[in-house]
Amino acid sequence: MNSAKYHVQTINYKNYTVRVVDPALQLHNCSSLPLHSLSRSNFSDTYYNPYYTDTYQAVLNAYDNEESLTLIFEHIVFVNCKHSVRENVKYVKTEERVKWDSKGYAYAVGGDLKAADLEVGCDIKLVALTSLRTFNNHSYTSMHSSLAYGFEISWVKLACQNCLLSSTYCYFDSSIQELQYCNLDEWILKQVSHTN
């Protein structure tokens, strides 16, 4: 995926997902880090676009009353700062486990890091994904364990490939654990009227 190899942890054929983990991550070694930065943006415009082009999707959204599978990642952002950050509770010290080539202080931030949250003198070094969203945002050990858990992606596009060639829209309905099909023209009209 994105010219990088990942270890497959689990494959769920019922809901068309696979959970993968970066091969450099070791569960009980908090100094181990992913080899590659990866965020939701690496999955192109799959959030809201039914005409997605990537093989793997990051998110399959629910439209109107349809309950479809939603795969949402949490980011864990690694930053290196020239000074100690004490006032921002989002910044969790990596306790000397993570060292970058440059001097400074290493931190991990759980969740999305907005531009306003980036402290002066800090640089983003790595962005990683996890689908385990129950980690403790105030514990680096917990954050690292969630990275070692990995993240889920969906291959429902491949399952829906035949209907996407026709005028049918395909989605996964998690309430009944099945692919559902509807007329694409009707679906587009429904989306346009819903947004107006």
Side-chain angles (χ1 to χ4, degrees):
M1 182 171 54
N2 295 329
S3 300
K5 293 185 178 182
Y6 291 85
H7 289 168
V8 173
Q9 300 299 302
T10 59
I11 300 173
N12 187 329
Y13 293 99
K14 195 162 179 100
N15 70 6
Y16 305 95
T17 61
V18 59
R19 181 166 49 92
V20 298
V21 67
D22 191 292
L25 283 164
Q26 302 164 11
L27 179 58
H28 299 295
N29 178 0
C30 287
S31 296
S32 66
L33 294 173
L35 293 173
H36 309 281
S37 275
L38 194 64
S39 71
R40 281 179 275 202
S41 62
N42 289 102
F43 295 89
S44 92
D45 190 18
T46 61
Y47 306 107
Y48 304 107
N49 185 356
Y51 307 105
Y52 44 77
T53 58
D54 290 345
T55 301
Y56 296 105
Q57 287 186 274
V59 178
L60 297 171
N61 284 316
Y63 297 102
D64 295 330
N65 295 324
E66 297 168 4
E67 186 183 333
S68 64
L69 179 70
T70 303
L71 302 175
I72 300 183
F73 302 137
E74 281 291 336
H75 290 115
I76 296 181
V77 182
F78 290 88
V79 296
N80 194 66
C81 301
K82 294 177 182 173
H83 55 82
S84 177
V85 177
R86 295 187 182 126
E87 312 256 333
N88 194 330
V89 295
K90 288 185 171 190
Y91 283 64
V92 176
K93 278 185 151 183
T94 61
E95 305 300 337
E96 304 299 318
R97 295 179 181 139
V98 176
K99 290 285 189 189
W100 303 108
D101 293 336
S102 58
K103 295 178 182 176
Y105 300 86
Y107 296 93
V109 178
D112 291 334
L113 183 65
K114 297 180 177 137
D117 295 328
L118 188 61
E119 295 284 331
V120 173
C122 295
D123 295 319
I124 295 174
K125 292 296 206 175
L126 181 70
V127 179
L129 297 173
T130 180
S131 290
L132 188 63
R133 299 183 307 171
T134 57
F135 64 85
N136 180 346
N137 279 352
H138 304 293
S139 162
Y140 178 64
T141 303
S142 177
M143 286 183 188
H144 188 272
S145 293
S146 70
L147 287 178
Y149 172 81
F151 59 93
E152 290 180 327
I153 51 181
S154 170
W155 79 84
V156 77
K157 176 192 173 188
L158 296 175
C160 286
Q161 199 166 33
N162 291 336
C163 74
L164 289 176
L165 298 175
S166 66
S167 61
T168 307
Y169 172 67
C170 173
Y171 66 96
F172 183 81
D173 187 332
S174 61
S175 65
I176 58 173
Q177 295 286 300
E178 288 182 5
L179 289 177
Q180 297 295 303
Y181 307 91
C182 63
N183 181 286
L184 188 56
D185 293 332
E186 289 174 16
W187 181 84
I188 291 171
L189 286 172
K190 194 178 197 184
Q191 299 311 305
V192 170
S193 65
H194 185 294
T195 57
N196 290 336

